[in-house]
Structure formats: C-alpha cells, structure tokens
Amino acid sequence: MAGRELLKSEKSRRTTKYLLIIAVLCLAFSIAFILRAYPIKYGFYLNEFDPFFDFRATEYIVNNGYGPYLEWHDYKSWFPDGREIAETSQSGLHLTAATLYKIFGMNMSLMDFTIWFPVVIGSASTVLMFLVVRAITGSTIPGLISSLFFAVSPAIIQRGNLGWFKSEPLGLFYGLGGTYLFLSALKDKKYKFLIPKAIFGGILIGLAVTSWGGAQYFVIPIGIFIIVLGFVSKDLKNNLIVAVLFTASVILVAGAFPRPGMSFVLGLPGLLLITSSLFLLVTTVVRLKSSERRATLKTAIILGIFVIIGMSIVVGGFYKVPSFRYLNAINPFLSSENKLVESVAEHFTPTIVDYFRQFSILIIFAGLGIWLSFKNKNNTNMIFALIIGLTGIYISATFARLLVFASISIIILSSIGIYQSIRAITSIRTEAEQTLTTSNKSGAKAQKNMKLKKQFLPYAGFAAILIVMLSIPMVYDSNTNWITSADVPTSIANGGTNYRLTTDDWIETLDWMSKNTPVDSVVTAWWDYGYWITTLGNRTSIADNATINQTRIETIAKMFISPEEKGWKIANDLKSDYILIYVVGQKLPSLDPANPSPLYVLGSGGDESKKHWFIRIGGFNESEYVESNGDTPKQKYWDSLLGKMMPFQTIGFYNPSTGTLSPTYQPNAIPFYIKDIKYPKGNTSEPLSLVYASKSFESDDPGLFFGVLVYKVNHDFKATNANGTSPSNITTLASSLANGTSPSNITTLASSLANGTSPSNITTLASSLANGTSPSNITTLASSLANGTSNLILESNVLNNINNTSSNNSMTTTTNNTATIETTQGPIKIEFYPDVAPNHVKNFQDLASKGFYDGVVFHRIVPGFVIQAGDPNTKNGNSSNDTWGTGGPGYTINQEFNNIPHERGILSMARTNDPNSAGSQFFIVLNDSKFLDNQYTVFGKVTEGLEIVDKIANSTTNAMDQPEDPNSARINKIVLQ
C-alpha cells in the first residue's frame, strides 16, 4: 500500500513538472509573439525591403510551381539583364514558405501569411532554444530560462518581427533545430535514435544555409566541437557515426540548391565540416588501437597534420573564396574598401555601447557561464556551450546584423550562469535545513525556525536582487529598454526613418505608379527602393537590394551626382522612363505674414541624407559637393542632377550656438530652404518633368514630410554640352577652328567642351583638330553639339573623324589581319574581321601597337562563358581589385554589330549598357553564347591556342570571378602580324 502511494506521488510530481515546463514554454511563446507582433499598431505591412522580394518569389512558386521557380529569370529587376532568381536568392525561405502556405494557408492571402510568418517562426524558436540549452546542460531549468530570454532579446526581435519575411527568422529556426538534434544524437546510445537524429539534424542545418547565408555560422561551432570530440569523447564510435551522417546530410542538402550550392561545399564552412569529420574518423581508428596514455598525444599530432593541410589549402587558394562579408566575419579587423558595403546600415560595426544596450546584466552572467563551462569536466556538451558562446560573440563584432549570434551565445552562457546561481542558493537552503534537523532534535521548534531564518534570509535577499537585476533592462530606460526596442514601425509605414509614426506616402506613390505609368516602364531609383518598385509598384527596376551588379549601382550614383545633362544622358543610357527620389524633412511655419509658404529643414533618412554615399560610390570628390560637416550641400551638388531634382532652394543658415543668421554657410549652421521645383509638371523643355509628388510634400501644413517624387525622363530633350555652351558659341568655336585658331587657343576651347575627358586627351583632340581636321568636319561637330548629341558619343565620333582625316594622328594605322596574344600560359593566335568591324579592329590594333595591352590581366573569368581582359587598372599589382573592369582608354567607339554568331573562340568587344561605350576591354567566348549576338561587336576569332584559352578559364577565381593569381592570367604583349 505504501509503495503504491509512493508510486502515485512520484507520478503526480512528474506530471506537475511537465505541466510547469509546458506552462513556461507557453509563456515564452506568448511573450515572443506579443513583442514580435507589436508593430501591428502602425499598420499591417511587410517590413524593411528584402521581404517584398521574398514575397514576390514565394508568390511565383505558389502560382507556377517549384520547377518553373528554379528556372525563373526575372526581367523585372536589374533591367535589362534581369536576374536568375534561384541562383541569387535564399531559395530555402521561398520553398519553405510556399510549402507551408499550401498546407496551412487555408483562406488567408499569401501577403497576410508572409506578414505573420516571422512572428510565428520566431516565437516557435523559443522552444528550440529551450531544447538546445537542455541538451547542452542536461537540465530543464537553464533551458526554460534561455527560452524566456530568447523571447525578449532585442537583437533577435528586431530581425524577426511582424512583416520581417526575410532570411533570419527561418534560418535561426532551422539552425537551432539542427543544432539540438546534433547534440541529442551525440548523447543517444541506440542507433535507432541517433541515426535519424543525425540525418535530420544535418538536413535542417542544410536548409538553414539555403534560407540564410548567415546560418553558415552554425557550422563553425559544430565543426570545432567535432574536432574537440576527438580528444574528450568516451564514445568515439557512435560520435563518429553521428558526425559523418550529419556532415553528409548538410553537404547534400546545401549542395543540391542553386544557392549556396558548391560554393558552400567547397567554401570554408563546408571544408570545415568535412575536415572535422575526417579528423574524427582518423582519430577514432588511432585511439582504438592505442593505449589511453598515448592516445591524446597521437590525437594532437593528427590535429597538427590536419592544421598544416588546412593552412596549405587556404594559402594555396584551393577553395571557393567567400565574399568580403564572410571573410570579415572570420576576421573582424578587415576593413572594407567597398563604399557600397560600407553604406548599408546593417553592416555597421557594433560598439561596446550596443552590446550593453542589447544584453545589459546578461553579460555578467555570461561571464559566469564561461567559467562554469571551463570548470565542468563531466559533460562534454558544456564544451560546446563554450565554443558557441565565444564564436558567436567573436563574429558579431563584424556587422550589427550578426548581433543575433551574440544574442544566442550570451543567452546560452547566461542561462547556465543564472541556473548555477539559483542552484547554489537552493542547495545552501537544503544544507541549512539538514543541519538544523540533526543538531536540534531535542531543541524547541521556534528556536529551530529562528536559526533557519537567520541562515536563509541573506540568500533569499540575493534571489530577490537577482530577479530585480534581470527585470531592469526590460523597463529601463524608457527609450532603449528591451520592451521599447520592439516598438518599431515597419519601414514602409514610416518611410524607412527612425520616427515612430506612420505615413502613407510610399504606399500611395507605389499605388499611383502601378496605375498611371505604362506597364513596360523602367524606373530608376537608389537601390534601396528597388524591391518596393517591382513588388508594390509592379514596374521594372534598374537595381535593388540584391546588389548583384555593383557597377550598375555606381552608374546610378554617377547619374545622380553628375551635372544635369550628363546625368540625363546616363539615365537615357539606362533606358529609364522614370526617376524616383525620396526626401525627408520638416516644414516650419512661414516667418513672413505676406508669404505663407513654409520653410524647410532637410534630413532624416531620405536621399538628402544618403547623398554622401552617392558621391562616394560614384567616385566623386566629396569635399567638392558638401561642406566640412559632411552634409550641407555646396553649389556643385545643387548643379548635379540630384540637386536639380531636389525641389528646394537654400535661403540662409542659422547657427543655434550663436543665435545668428547668415546668407552663407558657417560651421555648425543649419541650412533653411524654400520649395523650388526646377522640373515642374508638364515641362518638356527640361531633361525631366515632375509627374507625381506624395501628399505630405504637396501639403503646406507644418510638420514632418516624407516626399516621394517621381520624374518622367524627357527622352527628346536636346542637350547642349555639359558646361552649357550655347549653339551660337559652338558655331563661333567652329568658325575659329576653321579659320586657323592657334593650337593653344584650341586647347582651351576643347577643355571647355570636354565632359570628363582627361587633359591629355583634350590636348590630343585640340592638336589633331589644328593639324588637319577639315572645316567640313568641324562644321559637323558644331552641328552635332547644337542638336544635343551626347558628349560621350560625340567624343567617340570626333576621335573617329580625326583618325580618318588626319595624316599626323598619334594612333598608328595598321593593316594586319592577325595577331598573337602572348600570355603567361602561352600564345593565342587571333584573326581579325575588318570587313564587318573595321573601327573595332583598327582600335584594337592601334592600342596593341602602343603597348596598351602589355601586362593587363584577364580580370573576368567565367568558366563555360567568357574570359575578359583589356582593363589598364589590372596592370598595377597594388591597385584594388574593386576597380577591375572599370578602366578603359579614355574614349569610346560606336558599335558595329554584325551577323557573326558568338561561338567558341570568338573575339568580341565588351561594353556597358550603352551600345556605343566600347573602349579597350574585349572577351573571348568559351562556349557558344548566341544570346550575345547583335548585342556585342564581334571583330575576330581565335585560330590557334584554344587550349591556352581553356587554361586561363580554369584559373582559380574569387567570388567576383577574378583570378586569385593574376600572373596566371596575364597578357605579356600582343604582337601584330
């Protein structure tokens, strides 16, 4: 009877324990759900920028199926080239969301489903966090603590709240799930459990990598831990089975997707997993055949051998080089020379203040957790806690967006530290009770309670202090506490600013665009807004947040910052029908009763605040466009296309420190503006005309405004030259040249017409004109300028005229029809086609005869497609690889498209989006690529040495398709024959 009662009591306690666990997990899930759904008070929208693309990609799967998605080339983005979606995006997210929608979507719209998706997935991840920590510690309480901290972690909430249909929430869900199954499999002794856990855990990590590039982080602590198991594991056989099955599953899943595909398998994360599993295999064989005393020494020797092999692979470049972002995560001390990378807010380096704001008191307990992990020698999984804790904190020092991994690390370590603190208190109480029970068997009950109270009260006080300390960061201070950090509007609701308010400006603008512009319209805007334009505006964009073509983004920056006519020319070259800009500021009441128009102060997150990045990315000198404070515009900025599009005019400056007004800029002064639309609606005599302005800009009511302005590009605009020389002046210039103006005067005049031409070319142009250009050609030149011919094409035509008419031309004329390209891999013999592309052949031969190509590198190597060379920037070993592909001879030549197909061995001329922009860069076709026909000028073919071409094509390249060893793909010289 007593045994039955004991059994019943034990069952009751177990049931109560499980109910408490479920209750705490439900609480964690509920808190997580509420905090992540908090932005709903600002409106029910997708958040940030990427989720709009991810929604569109998921919608494509739902409407068309999985197969068509994998083959989808989207021409609505990155016009005109388009984009291979599956190869350039996080396919795991799209496939998972589409599948779940088909199962659980019911009558919900896909838009609503994707808005709620990150909230549900992020809340469910609290349970996985519990499982991971319980698997590490073997205890339930630290797991429950971790689930609660995961629910309120600011860094995780901010990258997984309402509408954040982006990579991180699902990547973390899969990553935590896979990590738990891996750790759980290591503990299991039965094959029927450990094998499916290892396989399914690997599948989840593989899916995490396909859903979010950052999820490759999970591979790092797991790979390191597998290596550690070779030293400390007491069950090597089972651990080896787990490691091999887990690694194989990760590699197969990640490699099967177009992205990351083989770049993961052959990259550092994939090699780490494969190498660590091989190390454990070798170690297991050696340790099983060695005595316990010598096993550790032999394991260390094996590790040394593997380290040497690994270093050789890295130094030799026998792996797929990751992008700078991943290298920077491995080495946070690397500094980016890429202005585009630097311009992204989530790539900013977090500071010490950021860590304290995000983690507060948890940092102290994480330190305690580190010490306890070092101290614990009985539980090998505690070593994993140490590894994931330190690596997560380490890589988070690179980018602000990687603070999610610091959050996971600190949550794990602090949960261990807090649990041990609580355990210490309860164990002390238990000891005190036992002591009093033994020492006071004959004492009074009151005396016993008094002694117990005296010994227990200090520890109860400590527990209360602990609870208060953990509660403080949730409520203090009012602006930066953990709860307030969830109070963030979606980006499209507040215009991507830091204001906690809503505005319909973007929603209404994109709706207007979808209804009032031609369906085939091409819209140019800064890349931040590309996904909004294609998804909500339903129009084709030039660039977007994928940033897959940095040259395109640089071109857009140049369009905005160039003088208005040159900017208009670039917009035309990009085939833009509309240009969108965004400006944010505040309207102030007028100080003049006679003039009710408001005053304006600019700056709070629009293009007016990003102009310095436009300037830097476009390659301009920042000091020429903005004042010393890095923000206030100079006149050169107002003369640029972006400056002309900004509908404001400076009227004065106010210095708040002195309380004085000034008509000119003074340090610390704030500029004030009035509205001044330079390209008004209906105006066809200017490069652009305003066709839409959002309502908060149009209103004169005081307060914040979020102006989204859409300009129509006037393709029929007749440009003068970049410096505004009038047709009459050009005619005068032509007359002066025809009448024998001296070369010195011609140099000055040519300089005034030049638009970005280097002084040496200007002088050459002037001298050539003076030495024999016929009056008829000069008259043609004047006529072209008067009729608005663009300067880049004009410069090309002038040079061609000079080549054809001047006997003293500095460029050598040749009649050779063959040449040999002497490379470091061997000779390549080519034959020219002067009958179909005479100007291209002549240009190539002239450059070759001057030694222009001597020492250049095949800077773009795309196996199975082309190898490309001809950029003088590649000659200098000290130049940044970021400039490769941007150089030329300083002039351009017109296209000579012909009917010769782009078959293997064809020699063709590279160019930008402008068909008439060829200069010196050329490419050799590796495999038939007839889709290039009539888009690039064929001017020759390889007749001997295709095996040399293939050697160059097989060179090891980095993520930008550049050769790792430039000397393996260098042109020594080109010999004309």
Side-chain angles (χ1 to χ4, degrees):
M1 188 74 176
R4 189 181 300 170
E5 288 294 328
L6 182 64
L7 194 63
K8 187 176 180 181
S9 175
E10 180 65 27
K11 185 177 179 181
S12 176
R13 280 196 297 270
R14 191 180 299 113
T15 302
T16 303
K17 177 184 176 181
Y18 290 148
L19 288 175
L20 285 173
I21 293 172
I22 294 171
V24 174
L25 290 177
C26 288
L27 177 64
F29 182 95
S30 300
I31 293 172
F33 192 95
I34 292 169
L35 291 177
R36 284 157 176 76
Y38 202 72
I40 199 171
K41 71 178 188 177
Y42 298 104
F44 193 64
Y45 306 108
L46 287 172
N47 195 3
E48 217 244 2
F49 304 100
D50 290 18
F52 287 88
F53 162 74
D54 291 322
F55 162 78
R56 186 164 166 259
T58 305
E59 183 181 47
Y60 191 91
I61 297 175
V62 171
N63 293 337
N64 299 281
Y66 301 105
Y69 165 82
L70 296 174
E71 299 175 357
W72 181 23
H73 187 95
D74 178 29
Y75 286 102
K76 210 158 196 171
S77 59
W78 295 96
F79 177 85
D81 308 305
R83 173 184 177 186
E84 291 288 348
I85 296 298
E87 295 178 6
T88 59
S89 60
Q90 315 295 354
S91 300
L93 171 62
H94 306 153
L95 295 170
T96 299
T99 302
L100 292 177
Y101 177 73
K102 290 179 179 180
I103 298 172
F104 302 109
M106 296 181 287
N107 295 324
M108 185 184 297
S109 71
L110 180 61
M111 177 63 78
D112 290 350
F113 181 85
T114 54
I115 291 173
W116 282 116
F117 184 87
V119 176
V120 175
I121 290 294
S123 301
S125 297
T126 59
V127 179
L128 295 176
M129 191 77 238
F130 159 75
L131 293 173
V132 169
V133 176
R134 190 177 70 167
I136 290 173
T137 61
S139 301
T140 299
I141 294 176
L144 294 174
I145 294 171
S146 68
S147 68
L148 290 169
F149 284 139
F150 189 91
V152 299
S153 171
I156 295 173
I157 291 173
Q158 289 165 3
R159 305 198 73 80
N161 55 9
L162 185 78
W164 194 276
F165 183 56
K166 202 174 172 181
S167 307
E168 290 95 327
L170 186 62
L172 289 176
F173 181 86
Y174 278 143
L176 291 171
T179 302
Y180 161 69
L181 289 173
F182 170 75
L183 295 173
S184 181
L186 291 176
K187 284 188 172 184
D188 266 310
K189 304 298 181 184
K190 297 181 179 179
Y191 291 139
K192 66 177 181 179
F193 295 126
L194 71 84
I195 290 176
K197 283 182 178 179
I199 294 174
F200 192 50
I203 291 172
L204 289 181
I205 293 293
L207 289 172
V209 170
T210 65
S211 301
W212 179 31
Q216 295 186 33
Y217 160 73
F218 286 103
V219 172
I220 298 173
I222 290 174
I224 296 173
F225 186 52
I226 291 173
I227 294 173
V228 172
L229 288 175
F231 288 90
V232 301
S233 176
K234 296 178 182 178
D235 190 7
L236 282 172
K237 286 184 178 179
N238 282 357
N239 288 351
L240 176 61
I241 292 172
V242 171
V244 170
L245 291 176
F246 178 85
T247 298
S249 300
V250 174
I251 295 299
L252 287 173
V253 173
F257 278 73
R259 180 181 178 186
M262 294 306 294
S263 65
F264 172 82
V265 178
L266 301 178
L268 293 178
L271 290 177
L272 173 62
L273 264 186
I274 295 170
T275 304
S276 60
S277 296
L278 287 174
F279 168 78
L280 188 60
L281 171 63
V282 175
T283 299
T284 301
V285 173
V286 171
R287 288 179 73 95
L288 290 176
K289 293 185 178 181
S290 305
S291 63
E292 187 67 27
R293 189 180 63 179
R294 298 179 61 85
T296 303
L297 176 61
K298 290 183 178 180
T299 303
I301 294 172
I302 295 169
L303 178 61
I305 294 171
F306 270 80
V307 169
I308 293 172
I309 294 172
M311 291 177 63
S312 301
I313 292 173
V314 173
V315 172
F318 303 112
Y319 68 100
K320 187 69 176 178
V321 180
S323 67
F324 175 84
R325 286 185 295 174
Y326 293 102
L327 290 175
N328 200 188
I330 297 171
N331 181 6
F333 301 102
L334 284 176
S335 58
S336 173
E337 295 181 359
N338 189 318
K339 302 301 179 186
L340 179 58
V341 173
E342 293 176 11
S343 71
V344 181
E346 61 188 17
H347 292 166
F348 290 171
T349 302
T351 64
I352 296 296
V353 174
D354 293 321
Y355 282 94
F356 276 100
R357 183 181 293 121
Q358 295 279 347
F359 309 118
S360 186
I361 191 66
L362 295 189
I363 294 175
I364 297 174
F365 288 104
L368 177 60
I370 292 174
W371 178 70
L372 291 170
S373 300
F374 266 119
K375 186 180 177 182
N376 194 311
K377 298 179 181 178
N378 298 322
N379 184 354
T380 55
N381 279 359
M382 289 289 280
I383 299 174
F384 181 78
L386 189 63
I387 295 171
I388 195 171
L390 296 178
T391 55
I393 295 170
Y394 175 79
I395 71 161
S396 69
T398 306
F399 297 132
R401 69 182 301 185
L402 297 183
L403 281 172
V404 293
F405 293 125
S407 296
I408 291 174
S409 301
I410 289 176
I411 286 171
I412 291 173
L413 294 172
S414 62
S415 298
I416 294 171
I418 292 169
Y419 168 65
Q420 292 299 334
S421 299
I422 296 172
R423 190 178 179 188
I425 293 170
T426 54
S427 64
I428 289 172
R429 178 181 178 180
T430 303
E431 290 174 7
E433 289 175 338
Q434 290 174 351
T435 303
L436 286 169
T437 300
T438 13
S439 62
N440 288 304
K441 286 182 180 179
S442 58
K445 185 176 181 181
Q447 187 178 5
K448 174 183 175 181
N449 289 340
M450 188 184 306
K451 289 184 179 180
L452 178 62
K453 190 177 293 184
K454 285 181 179 178
Q455 294 194 27
F456 176 68
L457 281 178
Y459 304 104
F462 175 77
I465 292 172
L466 177 63
I467 294 171
V468 171
M469 290 173 67
L470 293 174
S471 302
I472 286 175
M474 296 188 188
V475 295
Y476 181 83
D477 65 278
S478 60
N479 294 320
T480 60
N481 64 67
W482 290 356
I483 306 301
T484 304
S485 66
D487 184 14
V488 180
T490 57
S491 297
I492 203 162
N494 72 347
T497 65
N498 293 322
Y499 296 113
R500 285 176 176 157
L501 48 73
T502 58
T503 169
D504 295 328
D505 285 76
W506 269 104
I507 297 291
E508 292 179 356
T509 299
L510 295 167
D511 182 63
W512 175 89
M513 182 181 293
S514 68
K515 296 175 180 177
N516 295 276
T517 58
V519 175
D520 59 350
S521 296
V522 177
V523 181
T524 297
W526 193 235
W527 59 272
D528 284 348
Y529 318 123
Y531 286 151
W532 289 359
I533 290 169
T534 52
T535 303
L536 296 181
N538 198 25
R539 292 298 176 263
T540 302
S541 64
I542 294 289
D544 56 42
N545 306 65
T547 63
I548 57 177
N549 185 340
Q550 295 192 19
T551 303
R552 175 76 53 77
I553 294 173
E554 291 170 7
T555 302
I556 295 173
K558 289 176 181 176
M559 178 197 76
F560 278 124
I561 303 302
S562 295
E564 66 171 331
E565 290 190 3
K566 185 175 180 182
W568 168 82
K569 166 64 173 59
I570 295 173
N572 264 337
D573 292 343
L574 291 171
K575 304 295 188 296
S576 305
D577 297 305
Y578 297 90
I579 302 177
L580 179 149
I581 67 167
Y582 178 45
V583 57
V584 180
Q586 187 168 1
K587 287 174 283 190
L588 306 175
S590 173
L591 301 178
D592 183 2
N595 183 5
S597 299
L599 299 176
Y600 294 82
V601 177
L602 303 183
S604 279
D607 293 339
E608 83 293 332
S609 301
K610 302 173 184 176
K611 59 181 175 293
H612 60 289
W613 289 116
F614 293 16
I615 295 166
R616 295 174 191 175
I617 293 171
F620 297 91
N621 185 347
E622 192 172 350
S623 64
E624 295 180 3
Y625 292 86
V626 293
E627 300 288 356
S628 56
N629 64 356
D631 181 63
T632 303
K634 289 183 176 180
Q635 186 57 44
K636 194 167 184 178
Y637 166 79
W638 292 113
D639 291 336
S640 69
L641 184 64
L642 179 61
K644 297 285 187 181
M645 295 176 74
M646 284 287 170
F648 301 102
Q649 176 185 342
T650 309
I651 61 166
F653 299 84
Y654 172 71
N655 191 327
S657 59
T658 62
T660 58
L661 291 168
S662 170
T664 57
Y665 173 75
Q666 304 294 328
N668 302 318
I670 300 171
F672 282 83
Y673 305 90
I674 58 173
K675 187 181 288 187
D676 179 21
I677 300 175
K678 291 96 169 179
Y679 302 133
K681 294 181 180 179
N683 185 359
T684 58
S685 62
E686 299 289 346
L688 311 173
S689 62
L690 183 66
V691 292
Y692 181 86
S694 61
K695 65 180 181 182
S696 69
F697 172 78
E698 294 278 37
S699 170
D700 286 338
D701 295 336
L704 294 170
F705 72 92
F706 305 84
V708 188
L709 290 83
V710 181
Y711 289 89
K712 183 174 177 58
V713 179
N714 180 9
H715 296 293
D716 297 324
F717 171 69
K718 301 299 183 183
T720 60
N721 61 84
N723 293 316
T725 306
S726 66
S728 60
N729 289 337
I730 296 168
T731 306
T732 304
L733 166 61
S735 176
S736 299
L737 289 170
N739 292 327
T741 306
S742 64
S744 61
N745 289 336
I746 294 172
T747 304
T748 304
L749 292 168
S751 298
S752 70
L753 287 171
N755 183 16
T757 310
S758 64
S760 60
N761 285 337
I762 295 170
T763 306
T764 303
L765 169 60
S767 299
S768 300
L769 285 168
N771 291 328
T773 305
S774 66
S776 60
N777 286 335
I778 296 171
T779 304
T780 303
L781 166 61
S783 174
S784 298
L785 281 170
N787 290 328
T789 304
S790 72
N791 290 299
L792 291 177
I793 298 176
L794 170 64
E795 184 182 323
S796 169
N797 291 336
V798 170
L799 288 169
N800 286 336
N801 281 334
I802 294 169
N803 293 341
N804 293 331
T805 60
S806 175
S807 59
N808 296 322
N809 195 304
S810 60
M811 298 173 71
T812 306
T813 302
T814 68
T815 57
N816 311 82
N817 284 327
T818 61
T820 300
I821 304 175
E822 300 284 354
T823 75
T824 51
Q825 298 287 355
I828 302 170
K829 192 166 184 178
I830 57 176
E831 176 186 0
F832 297 113
Y833 298 153
D835 52 332
V836 294
N839 291 334
H840 279 68
V841 171
K842 186 177 186 306
N843 176 62
F844 185 90
Q845 292 177 337
D846 289 333
L847 291 172
S849 66
K850 293 192 301 183
F852 180 90
Y853 291 116
D854 295 357
V856 302
V857 173
F858 282 92
H859 62 271
R860 183 183 180 219
I861 298 175
V862 185
F865 183 35
V866 299
I867 59 173
Q868 183 171 326
D871 183 352
N873 293 338
T874 62
K875 292 185 180 183
N876 185 358
N878 297 323
S879 65
S880 170
N881 289 22
D882 290 342
T883 67
W884 287 12
T886 64
Y891 61 84
T892 58
I893 59 175
N894 291 344
Q895 58 89 3
E896 293 176 304
F897 298 159
N898 50 66
N899 294 325
I900 298 178
H902 282 76
E903 298 174 339
R904 173 169 166 78
I906 281 293
L907 191 68
S908 190
M909 211 64 178
R911 61 173 178 82
T912 66
N913 292 325
D914 183 355
N916 299 316
S917 60
S920 58
Q921 294 188 38
F922 64 93
F923 59 88
I924 298 175
V925 179
L926 300 177
N927 288 323
D928 292 358
S929 303
K930 296 185 180 180
F931 58 89
L932 300 176
D933 294 352
N934 294 310
Q935 296 186 59
Y936 296 84
T937 300
V938 174
F939 67 99
K941 185 175 183 178
V942 175
T943 55
E944 296 177 20
L946 275 174
E947 71 279 6
I948 305 300
V949 172
D950 291 335
K951 278 187 181 180
I952 297 171
N954 289 327
S955 300
T956 303
T957 57
N958 60 22
M960 298 174 67
D961 297 325
Q962 299 167 340
E964 285 292 331
D965 178 13
N967 289 326
S968 68
R970 192 178 297 278
I971 294 175
N972 294 326
K973 62 179 178 178
I974 297 179
V975 180
L976 300 174
Q977 296 156 343

